[in-house]
Amino acid sequence: MAAAEATISALDPAKASQNTFKLENTEKRDTLIAIEKKYQAEWANGKYFQRDAPSTAEVPLHSVSAADLRASQPKFFGTMAYPYMNGTLHAGHSFTVSKIEFSTGFARMQGRRALFPLGFHCTGMPIKACADKLVREVDLFGSDFARCPVEDLLDGGEQKKSATTSPPAPTQAQTKDDVTKFSTKKSKAVAKSVKMKYQFQIMLAIGIPLDEIHRFADPQYWLTFFPPLCQRDLTNFGARIDWRRSFVTTEANPYYDAFVRWQMNRLKELEKIKYGKRYTIYSPKDGQPCMDHDRSEGEGIGPQEYTALKLKVKDWAPEASKLLHGKLPDGANVYFVAATLRPETMYGQTCCFVGPKLQYGLYKAGESEFFVITERAARNMAYQGILSEASLDPPAARITGSAVVGTLVDAPLSVHSDGVRILPMESVLPTKGTGVVTSVPSDSPDDFATVTDLAKKAEYYGINKEWAELEIIPIIRTPAYGDLIAPALVKQFKINSPKDAKQLAEAKELAYKEGFYKGTMIFGEFKDQRVDVAKPKVQAKLIDGGEAFRYAEPDGLVISRSGDNCVVALMDQWYLNYGEEDQEWRAQTLDWVDNTMNTFTPETKNSFDGTIGWLNKWACARTYGLGSRLPFDPEFLVESLSDSTIYMAYYTIAHYLHKDIYGKEPGVGNVKAAQMTDEVWDYVFARRNLDDKLISESGIKKDTLESMRREFEYWYPLDVRVSGKDLINNHLTFFIYIHIALFPSEYWPRGVRANGHLLLNGDKMSKHTGNFLTLDETVKKYGADASRIALADAGDGVEDANFEESVANSNILRLYNLKEWCEESVADQANLRSGPRDGFWDRIFDNEMNGLVQETRQHYEGSLFKLALKSGLYDFVSARDFYREVTIAAGIGMHRDLVLRYIELQALLLTPIAPHWSEHIWLEVLKKPATIQNALFPASPAPDTSLASALGYVRNTTSNIHSAEASQLKKKDKGKTTAYDPRQPKKLTIYAATSFPAWQEKYIDLVRQAFDATSLKIDDKKLNPQVAKLGEMKKAMPFVQGLKRKLVDGGETPEAVFQRKLAFDEVSVLSEMVSGLKRTTGCKVVEVVSLQDGGKAGRLVVAGSAEDEGRILQDLPAVAEAAVPGTPAFHFENIKV
């Protein structure tokens, strides 16, 4: 048990979140969680999230068209990528969940039937690979892993006794109810020393009790263990999921298995699935293609195809000749094989590079033919039929790159027909190409920089200088860089040596793009042809002449789930014919993305366009893993990204087929899996009509078939698919392709929303750093609603979002306090003001609520949940706080009707994001008769712009006054001289102008002339010289800039800006503000003066005493002249009391 105990200590799941936020007082959180549990149970009992299409009894099938039915009874159908069942959900999953969850909640409030189903993905290699590892480990170490040597797991020479003297593992008594919690008494030193070497350790790390781990050696056990935990966590999160429609993939569910087989059969009939040789990423260890979901590293990496050029050895370097003596047959032809992406430039080869420190092999490629390449390249070639596997181990000889420097080789097509030399290049990588790089310094900045350096330092590199100084001839002409693009770019980027890696990378990319897309051949038999036309012709010439061959390798490191370093294989296989061979299919897909489907952001649309442009031939079958058998070739399983393209259609009828996720118990249709033939699927999914033959042969009742057809035709098309942006490169693009292939266009997907990854507290989530939370941990720590608010606050774009635990924590307090206030206000409503609610502050508050309701609706409609949260919670609470403060200051208090309206609106606005809190307020506080889950989003009148302008005026003026006073306090505290003592009795006088300064009129005319009301733009080239000509730039430009902001950014109408009429009575508003300003500034007196005569005189509108009101004041302070309508001036002064 020592190894297990050491692992438990080091990999205690609690440590994965040890650096996250720590809660101290949980009483308020626990109160909110109790409310959440109560309503989750009520919602489940009430089956509120089980949504069905209108029945055929209500609306007979096809008595109206499917489109008309959807129009008359609106629906929303949204899904997310179903999670893979090799672990529990983490906070990143919950971010994707939240997007579809909030959309579903709002759709319900729009009066739409809203459906959010979720299945469980089990197809592919990951589960099977992990299970097989456990089989081996159980065989080696026993079902409790007690025989695992602890020294296998320790780094740094830890003593065995340090891992064996700890107490027994506390997991022995743990149950599935708490699978993510461990405790430990191990020292940090030992904990840090444990290596993650075995699968049983990984299982411990994700919280599986030690005595259960051996059960996971059966891959089917994963399918029974994790789906219930996923459902538990999402239920605790408050997700509005229709769990009747859930299922597991693979043969474990015979209904879903039949669905996948139908899909494959129809795609093959449509010639979307083909069989033939193609390059694919391949795992020799697993003996099958290794697709994206089969990889532990390298997702998204595909094969990179090269032209492999054969440079025949004419004369070995002395050292190489000595080392290879007797190791090759007499008369053997040896070739340095260089992988190039630019065969059209081969006329300009001047040398060939090897890595001087790299190890090369001489691999037998024919009876008397050998290739000099790296081991990695040889391994790839062996799976492409270029080399035999027998030639790999061992090669005929091994040799380092430095030993072959100086070897003379024949470079095909090169003008240097006497041969070129093998030269050293430090930057040659063993992980890219063949380790042999042919040099064309006319068109490759890397090559030009290297040969220049070699020629300068020939003695240092141990070469003859003339080897690096062969003539560089022009091959390609480009409009921007002439005939020798590489020397031109090296000069432009100021590249001084091969070590200027950054500049060389930029120059290389530019050289390729310019050469390929804009270049023209000026040498060789394809002279005067465009490079993109000549390139395949040159390649064909080389291959047909036996001087080159096609070669491919992974365009980066790819590691399979089984730990294998993958290669590219050329093999016969079943593949989906995405891409260039089926131009019509690709064009349809691209057109749908560009012109119909909602991608929510330009970045998402651009990513789809890019993927559709490069995606080509995707292997859809494998021999290892879990899944459904390929119906026309049952030796193979359907690949995991190919059985998950249209399962959203399966959701529409899943509850008719089975009651449980495994398909063991028939669903409401009482249909057996065997009855779901391809013809039945065709009918259900609107690909054919119903006839007596189909009814008879399937044995399914007509009304059941029609009901299933109704479910599909009503819920489809899918309104939105939510997923991480990383799936655009595969799953999401496949999803669109296959829908277009199999369904009528009426049912093609309407929207895809891609979101970024989720950071936690501003950093990448990582168990290793202790910055990690599972969904279960998050909800237990903060409650569902506070967690949901933090997820809404995290962000809405495709850029990475950020879950701030401080936001979740602060919203525990916000929700609790708001709940308490709502409860107290309703209980005490008899003591609130009643009667007419037409006072100034009542109208202001009522109007602000109207505006925020409309603003929140718009944000929800645009799926902008962060903004909806701002207007629907943060700003809404602020509006209430402001109303409460000003009415208390005015001595009138809040109006009962407005308080009750606020509480009701607050509950409704928060329902999509924080449904538990809203339900509590709705049912327990407001005593509504039915759940808020069925309530509609509130309707509100359009806000009154004059009241909105008055509120903005109040806030701006109040802020300016408070800022001025705070500035004086800072000066006073620093011992500086101030105009008055803020801490002594003081008076505030506010000056309101009734007209604008005459000098501004001429600038208004200039701005009016330069403003284009159609484009909402101002011609600055015309305006600015005219303003400068009047000679008042210092005061004029700020005024002009203010006008421009109002017109262009502020959204004000040109009439309002140019006529300069306030939408409210400024003096009346200031009069209403007096009592509040007295309270917040501490002034003994606040006076309001209505200015006359350009600010030199004014009438006292609000005075310190009633007898002074109406008095005309002369010789006002200079500050009064700064007032303009809408922007009052003010000053403080000390007074005696």
Side-chain angles (χ1 to χ4, degrees), residues 348-560:
Q349 296 175 84
T350 64
C351 63
C352 180
F353 297 126
V354 295
K357 297 178 183 178
L358 298 189
Q359 184 82 12
Y360 293 86
L362 278 75
Y363 295 92
K364 188 174 183 180
E367 190 60 38
S368 60
E369 188 170 283
F370 295 83
F371 290 168
V372 181
I373 51 178
T374 60
E375 182 180 355
R376 175 180 177 273
R379 190 164 178 258
N380 277 276
M381 290 182 186
Y383 289 94
Q384 295 166 34
I386 300 167
L387 301 177
S388 67
E389 288 188 53
S391 68
L392 298 187
D393 192 20
R398 298 186 192 275
I399 195 166
T400 58
S402 59
V404 300
V405 169
T407 297
L408 184 68
V409 295
D410 180 48
L413 297 186
S414 174
V415 295
H416 300 291
S417 56
D418 291 338
V420 300
R421 296 287 177 172
I422 302 293
L423 298 180
M425 188 182 203
E426 294 289 346
S427 59
V428 174
L429 299 173
T431 55
K432 189 80 171 176
T434 60
V436 178
V437 180
T438 191
S439 172
V440 184
S442 58
D443 290 84
S444 168
D446 287 285
D447 295 352
F448 182 78
T450 300
V451 295
T452 301
D453 188 60
L454 288 170
K456 286 180 182 178
K457 304 174 183 177
E459 186 175 348
Y460 171 79
Y461 287 110
I463 66 170
N464 294 339
K465 184 178 181 181
E466 59 269 22
W467 293 349
E469 291 186 326
L470 295 187
E471 181 186 1
I472 299 173
I473 65 165
I475 304 297
I476 294 169
R477 176 175 295 141
T478 61
Y481 298 98
D483 296 349
L484 293 170
I485 189 171
L489 286 172
V490 166
K491 182 178 180 181
Q492 176 182 314
F493 283 90
K494 299 179 180 179
I495 296 167
N496 297 314
S497 83
K499 295 181 179 179
D500 294 334
K502 183 179 179 182
Q503 299 99 303
L504 279 169
E506 294 177 21
K508 179 180 179 180
E509 183 178 2
L510 185 56
Y512 182 80
K513 287 181 178 178
E514 286 288 320
F516 184 77
Y517 294 108
K518 300 177 183 178
T520 301
M521 300 294 295
I522 58 174
F523 189 93
E525 62 187 280
F526 305 108
K527 181 180 178 181
D528 297 328
Q529 294 187 21
R530 294 198 326 266
V531 168
D532 60 337
V533 173
K535 178 176 180 174
K537 295 179 180 179
V538 177
Q539 183 192 49
K541 175 181 172 66
L542 287 165
I543 293 173
D544 292 345
E547 295 177 308
F549 55 89
R550 289 183 175 86
Y551 164 70
E553 66 183 26
D555 194 23
L557 180 65
V558 179
I559 304 296
S560 72

Side-chain angles (χ1 to χ4, degrees), residues 125-163:
M125 281 184 58
I127 290 174
K128 175 65 172 167
C130 292
D132 287 352
K133 288 179 184 177
L134 286 172
V135 169
R136 291 191 292 271
E137 290 169 21
V138 169
D139 286 344
L140 286 171
F141 310 133
S143 61
D144 60 357
F145 309 98
R147 297 197 302 271
C148 178
V150 72
E151 51 268 26
D152 276 9
L153 310 181
L154 297 181
D155 284 327
E158 294 287 345
Q159 296 298 314
K160 185 174 180 180
K161 65 178 182 180
S162 68

Side-chain angles (χ1 to χ4, degrees), residues 30 54 296 317 335 544 620 982 999:
D30 295 342
S296 62
Y335 299 89
D544 292 345
C620 61
W999 67 266

Side-chain angles (χ1 to χ4, degrees), residues 96-111:
T96 300
V97 170
S98 71
K99 300 305 178 188
I100 193 65
E101 166 64 18
F102 300 156
S103 295
T104 303
F106 178 65
R108 292 176 68 98
M109 300 190 78
Q110 292 177 298

